[in-house]
Amino acid sequence: MRTRTTTATAAAALTTAVALLLTACGGGSDSDDSGKDEITGADTGASASASPSPSASEKGVDRPEIKLPADVKNVFEGSKTGDPVKDAVLADNQRMIDSVDEAITVDAEEHPALKFYSKDNALVAAASYVQSFYEGGTTWTGTTRYYDREVTLDGENTATVTYCGDETESYSKDRKTKKVKKTPGDADDYVSYNARMEKNADGVWQTVNVVSERGAEKCQP
């Protein structure tokens, strides 16, 4: 299991998150090999496998590319509803999730997708969450499944997405030694999410707030 938090409103968390967003994700290490962890797929696109994300050139929007390492995979179920607006919301919700995980698992100078798909409280929370992995010297590996994804539209420019996450096959990984800590799955591996999204002037559905419940009964098999 990898711990995923989705709220950060304290002033200290805000300061850390803003500092992170203005520099490279995961900065702040004083060691000589800072920023040089050999994370699979961090150096070249050849060794990385793109998450099954929607097309980056959808509707002519200049979207940042998102690539996850070969040992990291997010699986999204129910991406097509038959409603083009709801499908667009789900596609950008998927990209938001991938952007956060890219920032965690790929050590790079910049992670433009993080700010592209999240803003306001969601951006602060995402940056704080990413920073916690670097400060703890960890990353993650494996597969996370997202399912029971539902969209509720509220006018033309706002929507809510509810969904579940299954982390039973995603594991904590030491950033330096690459040692994976495999633990048996339990109730806390199932998480429910409620994401508030807003469409910006470019037609991108950005996440503005996310609330989660770990161990949610409705998400357990």
Side-chain angles (χ1 to χ4, degrees):
M1 178 182 73
R2 56 187 177 107
T3 303
R4 177 185 288 272
T5 56
T6 54
T7 57
T9 56
L14 177 61
T15 300
T16 300
V18 170
L20 171 65
L21 292 170
L22 292 177
T23 57
C25 289
S29 173
D30 295 324
S31 62
D32 292 337
D33 61 350
S34 175
K36 296 181 181 179
D37 296 317
E38 296 178 1
I39 302 173
T40 304
D43 297 326
T44 65
S47 58
S49 63
S51 179
S53 298
S55 171
S57 60
E58 185 177 284
K59 295 185 178 179
V61 178
D62 186 16
R63 299 175 181 272
E65 184 178 28
I66 302 173
K67 281 192 174 182
L68 300 179
D71 65 336
V72 172
K73 186 177 182 181
N74 287 330
V75 176
F76 299 88
E77 299 178 359
S79 297
K80 298 296 182 181
T81 67
D83 182 314
V85 177
K86 290 184 177 181
D87 289 352
V89 172
L90 287 174
D92 281 341
N93 169 256
Q94 177 174 334
R95 294 179 178 113
M96 178 274 292
I97 294 170
D98 281 344
S99 73
V100 174
D101 286 331
E102 180 192 48
I104 292 169
T105 61
V106 177
D107 198 8
E109 289 297 321
E110 296 180 351
H111 290 288
L114 194 64
K115 292 184 286 185
F116 194 89
Y117 293 108
S118 298
K119 70 174 185 177
D120 299 343
N121 289 342
L123 181 56
V124 173
S128 181
Y129 178 51
V130 170
Q131 182 72 4
S132 71
F133 277 83
Y134 283 88
E135 290 177 349
T138 62
T139 179
W140 72 273
T141 184
T143 300
T144 304
R145 182 172 65 96
Y146 295 95
Y147 54 100
D148 290 348
R149 305 169 71 209
E150 296 184 2
V151 180
T152 301
L153 300 176
D154 182 14
E156 295 182 356
N157 299 315
T158 57
T160 299
V161 182
T162 58
Y163 53 102
C164 291
D166 174 2
E167 299 178 1
T168 56
E169 295 184 9
S170 58
Y171 309 102
S172 178
K173 178 180 177 181
D174 188 279
R175 192 171 289 276
K176 287 187 176 181
T177 67
K178 315 306 176 189
K179 184 177 180 180
V180 177
K181 183 180 180 180
K182 287 198 173 184
T183 54
D186 59 27
D188 281 347
D189 285 313
Y190 296 94
V191 191
S192 69
Y193 298 92
N194 185 306
R196 185 68 172 172
M197 303 180 68
E198 295 179 357
K199 186 169 68 172
N200 66 14
D202 294 323
V204 177
W205 287 91
Q206 295 179 299
T207 301
V208 297
N209 193 59
V210 183
V211 176
S212 70
E213 179 188 354
R214 185 166 290 279
E217 290 186 8
K218 69 179 183 178
C219 293
Q220 297 178 33

